[in-house]
């Protein structure tokens, strides 16, 4: 997705957003292919699929495993889409009630998920978020117009576009991390003919698919949830409710159906907080947010008022993407395997060329290419130090919203901070944010205590 | 743990420099109560505090697990890939997009362990033409023209 982001610059906004969202949907299924064939999950969310998918492959049932994965992903995707359409619109109806204090509180709520997306270290997550907030202060001050931290460079007057941070951290950082790594294992084309499940199998995997869809809905809507957590939760619940729990880990079809339904449900439901509140809850939805921003679309409350056609187009696009995934997932397996089996040095060369060409396309600026390379280096260091990316992206994306509305609210209230508590929407959002922060801190402290015990 | 101490030290220095720069921002007649330097100073102080916590935590862990070994990343190889990107930025305005992108593909392929063969050269040249057709001809997105102007 991060690779495609700059590539969408010349496209119609709706087409660009649908392309990115469809890539997200496709990647959730695509991640299961290497998980099943070469025991390497293509995405984090596909890690749970490795357990039974690779075991089925070893039993000579790779085609069946791929078919269950594809079919379950389709079911999960459609359930997620229905939930997305039903929940997003009502949540966005509060749009017109937003004032500067409420926007500030919304930004704080977005930042409050940092703890839950920080992995094992809250301190590292907070440092990453602060670095993101600091990056967001570069450029022209939102209230006085003073230029800050630009070092006299005109290119920095309008700030550092979040898309450069995302492409650098995700795409170039990954390219650098792959440098020096051994080549990928080759996938055999013979073992990859998809076999769709028959009626008996449909019946058997219906329950784990339902469990996966429920888990995907809950985790997707929650900021910081994400496909990986939902996939493992669904896997555990499917095993608990299964009439064949002993087969799990040894090639159970239910062990593929549950996580695949879950992570494909999340692909749609994770868009709910992003579309309605402008808060990305996962790396993929953060990249999709970047797709909105480079087309001047601001996800959040006003998107439904100003650009309803983009939202409708996105819904239809996701429906088409899910149906296309079912058809193309079957048809393009062979060419996909040909592509991933190309020698790694050639693939790396083409990916690098694609990234620099795409970044230049955004504003025709080689300076931007340099900035993206810089963030690529930072992304590599962050990977090395196990510092999470998403808090930094949240800081970059929400920094301007938080600062500009905080200061505007204080200007309007003559410096009275109680304005944030007098506005009922702002007070409610801040209360939710504080609750979220307290719960996260308590959870981290408890985890730390258990680790040292 | 040593790498976390180094990182904590780096963010501590960054917070000090950032605070100093924020403190030097010009005062505007239009300034509000917070001012352009207000939040940056808070960010800098928060970063300094967190950097201390990270360093102290890493030192404590180091004492506990002094024998733990750390894997070493191939930093020189990573720097090489980044240098190729920098070379692209410098050379593209002179030699033009198709040649520069073909050179980037060729250099990256070779650097990643590919052989310097006729096939590799053909792939790089084909890549240059393909990217030029895709971005410049098909999508109409301008790329550095260089000598092809």
């Amino acid at each position: 997705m991060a690779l495609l982001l700059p590539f969408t610059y010349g496209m119609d906004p709706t087409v660009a957003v649908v392309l990115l969202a469809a890539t997200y949907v496709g990647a959730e299924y695509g991640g299961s292919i290497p998980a099943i064939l070469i025991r390497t999950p293509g995405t984090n969310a596909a890690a749970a699929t490795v357990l039974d998918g690779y075991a089925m492959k070893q039993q000579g049932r790779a085609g069946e495993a791929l078919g269950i994965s594809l079919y379950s992903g389709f079911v999960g995707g459609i359930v997620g889409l229905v939930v997305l359409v039903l929940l997003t619109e009502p949540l966005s109806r509060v749009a017109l009630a937003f004032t500067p204090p409420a926007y500030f509180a919304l930004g704080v709520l977005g930042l409050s998920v940092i703890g839950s997306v920080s992995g094992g270290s809250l301190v590292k997550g907070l440092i990453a978020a602060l670095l993101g907030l600091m990056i967001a202060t570069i450029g022209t001050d939102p209230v006085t117009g003073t230029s800050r931290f630009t070092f006299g460079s005109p290119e920095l007057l309008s700030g550092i576009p979040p898309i450069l941070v995302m492409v650098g951290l995700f795409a170039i950082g990954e390219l650098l991390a792959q440098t020096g790594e051994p080549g990928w294992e080759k996938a055999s084309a013979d073992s990859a003919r998809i076999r769709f499940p028959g009626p008996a199998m449909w019946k058997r995997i219906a329950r784990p698919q339902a469990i996966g869809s429920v888990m995907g809905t809950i985790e997707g809507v929650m900021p910081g949830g994400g496909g990986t957590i939902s996939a493992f939760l669904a896997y555990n619940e499917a095993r608990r409710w299964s009439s064949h729990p002993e087969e799990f880990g040894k090639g159970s079809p239910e062990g593929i159906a549950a996580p695949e339904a879950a992570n494909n449900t999340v692909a749609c439901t994770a868009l709910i907080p992003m579309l309605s509140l402008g808060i990305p809850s996962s790396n993929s939805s953060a990249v999709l947010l970047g797709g909105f921003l480079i087309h001047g679309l601001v996800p959040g409350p006003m998107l439904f008022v100003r650009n309803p056609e983009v939202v409708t187009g996105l819904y239809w696009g996701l429906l088409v993407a899910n149906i296309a995934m079912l058809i193309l997932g079957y048809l393009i397996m062979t060419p996909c395997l040909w592509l991933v089996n190309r020698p790694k040095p050639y693939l790396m060369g083409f990916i690098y060329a694609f990234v620099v060409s795409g970044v230049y396309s955004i504003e025709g600026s080689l300076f931007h290419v340099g900035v993206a390379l810089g963030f690529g280096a930072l992304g590599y260091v962050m990977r090395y130090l196990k510092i999470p990316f998403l808090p930094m992206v949240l800081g970059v994306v929400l920094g301007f919203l938080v600062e500009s509305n905080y200061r505007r609210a204080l200007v309007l209230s003559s410096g009275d901070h109680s304005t944030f508590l007098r506005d009922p929407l702002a007070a409610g959002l801040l209360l939710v944010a504080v609750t979220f922060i307290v719960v996260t801190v308590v959870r981290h402290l408890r985890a730390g205590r258990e680790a040292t015990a | 743990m040593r790498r976390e101490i180094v990182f904590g030290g780096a963010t501590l220095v960054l917070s000090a420099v950032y605070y100093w720069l924020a403190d030097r921002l010009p005062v505007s007649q239009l300034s509000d109560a917070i001012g352009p330097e207000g939040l940056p100073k808070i960010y800098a102080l928060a970063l300094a505090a967190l950097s201390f916590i990270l360093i102290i935590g890493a030192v404590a862990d180091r004492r506990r697990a002094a024998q733990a070994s750390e894997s070493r990343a191939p930093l020189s190889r990573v720097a090489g890939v980044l240098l190729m990107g920098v070379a692209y930025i410098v050379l593209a305005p002179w030699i033009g997009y198709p040649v520069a992108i073909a050179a980037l593909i060729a250099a990256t392929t070779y650097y990643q362990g590919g052989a310097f063969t006729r096939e590799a050269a053909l792939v790089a040249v084909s890549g240059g033409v393909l990217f030029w057709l895709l971005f410049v001809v098909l999508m109409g997105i301008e790329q550095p023209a260089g000598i092809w102007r």
Side-chain angles (χ1 to χ4, degrees):
Chain A
M1 274 182 83
L3 281 174
L4 268 183
L5 200 48
F7 190 68
T8 64
Y9 181 69
M11 297 179 180
D12 174 79
T14 307
V15 175
V17 167
V18 169
L19 173 66
L20 289 169
T23 307
Y24 182 19
V25 168
E28 288 305 325
Y29 160 65
S32 72
I33 299 173
I36 291 168
L37 296 181
I38 57 173
R39 210 182 186 181
T40 306
T43 59
N44 290 336
T49 308
V50 171
L51 302 171
D52 286 282
Y54 190 68
M56 283 182 77
K57 191 249 176 184
Q58 285 180 310
Q59 296 160 12
R61 297 159 67 200
E64 192 185 344
L66 288 167
I68 291 167
S69 163
L70 183 53
Y71 170 59
S72 301
F74 171 73
V75 170
I78 295 298
V79 171
L81 181 57
V82 171
V83 176
L84 172 71
V85 174
L86 289 178
L87 288 190
T88 308
E89 185 73 36
L91 203 57
S92 69
R93 282 203 194 119
V94 288
L96 297 174
F98 271 72
T99 54
Y103 274 116
F104 165 74
L106 181 64
V108 173
L109 177 64
L111 291 172
S112 71
V113 308
I114 287 165
S116 58
V117 297
S118 293
S121 172
L122 183 59
V123 174
K124 286 181 181 177
L126 289 171
I127 287 177
L130 276 169
L131 291 174
L133 288 169
M134 288 158 89
I135 291 164
T137 61
I138 295 171
T140 307
D141 177 59
V143 175
T144 64
T146 308
S147 58
R148 300 187 293 186
F149 314 112
T150 57
F151 306 102
S153 164
E155 284 99 340
L156 286 175
L157 278 177
S158 54
I160 292 181
I163 183 180
L164 298 184
V165 179
M166 294 179 198
V167 171
L169 292 180
F170 293 119
I172 300 177
E174 179 62 28
L175 188 84
L176 297 175
Q178 285 293 334
T179 301
E181 293 283 320
W184 303 296
E185 194 182 326
K186 303 275 183 196
S188 159
D190 296 336
S191 63
R193 289 203 180 82
I194 291 182
R195 201 155 67 81
F196 279 110
M201 185 58 78
W202 277 20
K203 202 174 159 191
R204 183 175 172 187
I205 60 177
R207 188 189 288 171
Q209 284 174 341
I211 291 170
S213 298
V214 170
M215 291 297 164
T217 300
I218 295 168
E219 286 297 321
V221 175
M222 281 174 59
T228 313
I229 299 169
S230 70
F232 278 102
L233 281 176
Y235 184 87
N236 284 336
E237 289 308 311
R239 181 166 54 186
R240 194 201 308 264
W241 292 92
S242 172
S243 47
H244 306 283
E246 73 286 353
E247 288 183 20
F248 277 70
K250 297 170 189 164
S252 168
E254 296 165 68
I256 297 173
E260 283 303 308
N263 65 37
N264 280 276
T265 305
V266 170
C268 289
T269 55
L271 302 183
I272 295 171
M274 199 279 282
L275 281 176
S276 56
L277 301 172
I279 299 172
S281 61
S282 64
N283 288 338
S284 302
S285 57
V287 175
L288 186 60
L289 175 64
F292 276 83
L293 295 177
I294 59 171
H295 288 93
L297 303 166
V298 182
M302 294 308 287
L303 181 67
F304 294 82
V305 180
R306 290 180 187 151
N307 306 97
E309 75 287 352
V310 175
V311 181
T312 313
L314 177 62
Y315 292 160
W316 283 107
L318 284 169
L319 178 65
V320 173
N322 274 288
I323 295 169
M325 180 183 79
L326 193 64
I327 301 165
L328 294 177
Y330 180 77
L331 293 178
I332 65 169
M333 181 62 78
T334 306
C336 279
L337 285 177
W338 178 86
L339 189 65
V340 298
N341 281 340
R342 291 309 87 210
K344 186 180 168 188
Y346 287 137
L347 280 177
M348 300 280 278
F350 274 77
I351 290 171
Y352 205 3
F354 195 72
V355 171
V356 296
S357 304
V359 170
Y360 183 86
S361 304
I362 297 170
E363 283 187 26
S365 166
L366 284 167
F367 178 79
H368 278 180
V369 178
V371 171
L373 284 174
F375 279 105
L378 181 63
Y380 175 79
V381 172
M382 288 173 74
R383 268 181 178 81
Y384 180 56
L385 296 169
K386 295 188 171 59
I387 294 168
F389 293 153
L390 193 53
M392 177 179 275
V393 173
L394 281 170
V396 173
V397 169
L398 296 175
F400 184 82
L401 177 86
V402 168
E403 182 179 15
S404 59
N405 286 290
Y406 172 65
R407 291 170 59 190
R408 270 178 206 141
L410 288 180
V411 167
L412 291 172
S413 67
S414 305
D416 182 6
H417 275 83
S418 68
T419 186
F420 298 107
L421 300 177
R422 283 202 310 272
D423 185 310
L425 195 52
L429 289 168
L430 286 173
L431 184 67
V432 175
V434 169
T435 309
F436 211 83
I437 291 167
V438 170
V439 169
T440 310
V441 170
V442 168
R443 200 181 293 164
H444 271 273
L445 288 175
R446 199 176 289 164
R449 225 173 282 147
E450 282 169 8
T452 50
Chain B
M1 294 305 141
R2 189 172 62 89
R3 57 192 180 186
E4 288 182 352
I5 295 170
V6 171
F7 179 72
T11 51
L12 193 60
V13 171
L14 178 69
S15 67
V17 172
Y18 184 75
Y19 188 96
W20 179 71
L21 288 170
D23 196 46
R24 282 168 44 100
L25 285 173
V27 179
S28 167
Q29 297 290 327
L30 301 168
S31 188
D32 54 324
I34 305 297
E37 79 289 355
L39 284 184
K41 282 183 175 176
I42 294 172
Y43 297 157
L45 293 173
L47 183 64
L50 286 166
S51 302
F52 270 122
I53 293 172
L54 184 69
I55 292 168
I56 291 166
V59 169
D61 284 350
R62 198 182 193 186
R63 284 188 188 143
R64 272 200 294 271
Q67 302 301 316
S69 62
E70 292 178 0
S71 62
R72 180 169 279 202
L75 286 176
S76 56
R77 292 197 61 79
V78 169
V81 177
L82 283 172
L83 273 176
M84 282 177 219
V86 174
Y88 174 84
I89 293 170
V90 173
L91 293 175
W94 300 90
I95 60 178
Y97 177 69
V99 178
I101 212 75
L104 181 67
I105 293 172
T108 308
T109 303
Y110 181 67
Y111 194 73
Q112 297 290 347
F116 198 70
T117 60
R118 198 176 294 170
E119 182 197 286
L122 190 64
V123 168
V125 171
S126 306
V129 174
L130 182 75
F131 276 100
W132 176 75
L133 284 172
L134 183 66
F135 279 92
V136 180
V137 178
L138 192 66
M139 297 183 67
I141 298 170
E142 286 300 316
Q143 296 285 344
I147 53 171
W148 309 93
R149 199 184 300 275

